[in-house]
Amino acid sequence: MKIGVLSGGGDAPGINAVIRAVVRKGIRNYGYEMIGIKDGWWGLVEGSFMSLDLEAISGLLPRGGSILGTSRTNPFKREGGPQKVLDNVKKNGIDAVVVIGGDDTLGVAHKMGELGLPCVGVPKTIDNDLGLTDYTFGFQTAVHIACEAIDRLHTTAEAHHRVMILEVMGRYTGWIALEAGIAGGADVVLIPEKPFDINEVCQYIEQRLERGKAFSLVVVAEGAKPKGAKNIVYGTGSDEFGNPRLGGVGYYVGKEIERCTGIETRVVVLGHLQRGGSPTAFDRVLATRYGIAAIDSVHKGQFGQMVALKGNKIVSVSLKDVIGKRKAVNLELYEIAKVFSG
Ligand code: F6P
C-alpha cells in the first residue's frame, strides 16, 4: 500500500514527530510505501509530493515546523479542487492519507472521505479547540512558552510598577490564555468565551493598587472582545476557510487601562513565537502516540476517523462528530483562574 501524509493549517510543535512515527511504523512494521504531500491540501490539488523514506525522518523528533510544509488551502474553494485531489491521488497510486490538522484541514478530510478518499485524522492545533480529544498536540508547548513570557513580564512589571499586557493566540477559544494565566499567576485573564467589561478590569487593577500591588499582569487571548463588541482584527481579509486575521485586542486593553487607572502600561504580542521551535517532551510523546495510532488505524482500515486522547488513552473518534464543534475552555479551569484573578 502507498500512504500519503499531509499537514495543513497553522503549524504546531510536534508535526514532525507525528510524521516520524507514521512513517517509521508504516515502513518498518507494515511494509508500506510512504509519500509526503507538500503544503497541506495544496499538494494534492497541484500534485506536489516529496519522498518520505526512513532517511527523510531521521532527526525529526525535536524539530519544529513541518518538513512537508503547510498551507490553509481549501480544495472546496478552488475551481475543480476536489476532483483535482482525487485525480492526483489516483495518478500517484495513493491508497490512503494521514491528515494532520485542525478543524479546517480535518473538515476537508471528512468531505474528501465522502468523495471516496480514505483518510485518518491527527488532531493538531496550538489552540486546543478540537472536539472529542482532551488535548491536541502543540498546545502544551504553546502554554509553556506563554507561561515563560508571563514569568518574564512579571519581574519587569514589578520593577517598573507597570501593567503588562500579554496577547496570546486563541482565535475562538481561550485555552492558551487560561492555562498559561493559571500557570503564570496572571491577575486578569480575558478569553473569547467570556466577553469582558473593561471598566471591571480597570477596577480590579485599581483594587490591587489599593492593596499595595502597584503592578499587574493581564493575559488576553487574541479572540477576546469587549461585551457587545466585535473582534478586533488586524486586517479585513480572511483565509480560504473564512477565518479572520485577529490581532490588536491587547493594545485596546492596554490603552484603556492606562487611560482609566493612570498606571503606565505596556503591551506584548507573543504571536508566532508560540508556534515556532521545538515541542515539549509532553508534546513529543503525544505526537508520537498519535502518529503510531494513525498508521495503526490505516492498517485496520478505520477511515473517516481521527485519533484522539481520552484520559490517558488513545482512542479513535469519527471525523464527522469532530468537525465544526469547537471545544470551549473547561469552565472548572475558568473558575480556578477567577480565584486568583479579576
Ligand atoms: O492555528 C491556529 C492559530 O495559531 C490561531 O491561534 C491564530 O489566530 C492563527 O493560527 C494565526 O494564523 P497565521 O499563522 O495564519 O497568522
Side-chain angles (χ1 to χ4, degrees):
M1 292 234 294
K2 190 170 180 182
I3 313 300
V5 186
L6 72 79
S7 56
D11 66 343
I15 293 178
N16 286 324
V18 175
I19 296 168
R20 169 179 174 266
V22 169
V23 172
R24 188 167 168 107
K25 190 158 188 190
I27 294 177
R28 296 269 280 246
N29 295 60
Y30 297 133
Y32 293 155
E33 185 185 343
M34 306 298 297
I35 182 166
I37 297 159
K38 286 197 183 168
D39 297 331
W41 288 107
W42 180 87
L44 277 180
V45 173
E46 299 297 331
S48 182
F49 302 96
M50 62 181 268
S51 131
L52 263 189
D53 53 14
L54 292 174
E55 182 57 32
I57 58 162
S58 171
L60 275 195
L61 184 59
R63 210 196 299 170
S66 169
I67 56 160
L68 299 174
T70 185
S71 75
R72 297 189 192 275
T73 300
N74 181 355
F76 291 88
K77 283 282 157 65
R78 297 191 174 206
E79 186 72 38
Q83 192 53 48
K84 285 184 186 162
V85 169
L86 293 174
D87 291 347
N88 278 319
V89 162
K90 197 165 171 210
K91 202 161 116 197
N92 290 279
I94 296 171
D95 296 293
V97 183
V98 173
V99 180
I100 307 167
D103 194 65
D104 296 331
T105 304
L106 295 180
V108 173
H110 170 57
K111 287 206 240 168
M112 288 306 308
E114 289 179 332
L115 297 178
L117 177 63
C119 293
V120 172
V122 177
K124 166 237 61 143
T125 164
I126 64 161
D127 290 359
N128 197 37
D129 59 358
L130 263 180
L132 298 188
T133 187
D134 290 349
Y135 289 108
T136 53
F137 76 82
F139 166 65
Q140 212 252 0
T141 305
V143 170
H144 180 78
I145 293 164
C147 176
E148 195 189 332
I150 296 171
D151 288 348
R152 290 177 185 279
L153 293 174
H154 250 134
T155 59
T156 175
E158 189 169 12
H160 283 266
H161 320 296
R162 283 174 175 159
V163 175
M164 298 293 304
I165 316 286
L166 179 68
E167 182 182 307
V168 296
M169 282 188 174
R171 209 185 248 149
Y172 303 108
T173 63
W175 284 99
I176 299 174
L178 191 55
E179 290 214 2
I182 292 172
D187 303 301
V188 177
V189 177
L190 304 175
I191 58 174
E193 291 90 332
K194 300 272 177 189
F196 60 89
D197 179 335
I198 193 69
N199 294 319
E200 283 173 14
V201 174
C202 293
Q203 272 165 23
Y204 185 76
I205 286 169
E206 276 164 351
Q207 282 163 16
R208 275 180 53 82
L209 190 60
E210 282 157 21
R211 292 202 307 268
K213 299 279 188 191
F215 70 95
S216 287
L217 211 301
V218 177
V219 179
V220 54
E222 62 181 354
K225 52 184 178 230
K227 278 181 185 156
K230 284 194 178 149
N231 274 129
I232 297 172
V233 292
Y234 185 80
T236 48
S238 56
D239 65 24
E240 288 184 27
F241 291 91
N243 299 304
R245 193 159 150 205
L246 300 180
V249 66
Y251 286 98
Y252 164 78
V253 171
K255 272 192 195 140
E256 286 300 306
I257 289 177
E258 194 165 78
R259 188 182 60 75
C260 59
T261 66
I263 306 173
E264 201 179 356
T265 303
R266 292 286 191 276
V267 180
V268 172
V269 179
L270 199 52
H272 294 80
L273 287 173
Q274 289 156 100
R275 292 222 312 245
S278 204
T280 57
F282 177 92
D283 272 333
R284 293 182 202 188
V285 174
L286 182 60
T288 300
R289 293 176 77 195
Y290 278 157
I292 295 293
I295 199 70
D296 286 346
S297 293
V298 168
H299 194 64
K300 288 183 214 146
Q302 291 175 337
F303 299 114
Q305 298 283 115
M306 179 187 87
V307 297
L309 185 71
K310 277 275 155 220
N312 199 25
K313 282 206 163 15
I314 301 290
V315 296
S316 175
V317 297
S318 166
L319 272 175
K320 172 170 61 67
D321 297 335
V322 172
I323 303 315
K325 297 180 190 113
R326 210 154 269 131
K327 183 181 69 186
V329 293
N330 177 336
L331 287 178
E332 255 174 57
L333 272 184
Y334 185 71
E335 292 307 321
I336 290 173
K338 288 217 72 92
V339 174
F340 303 96
S341 58

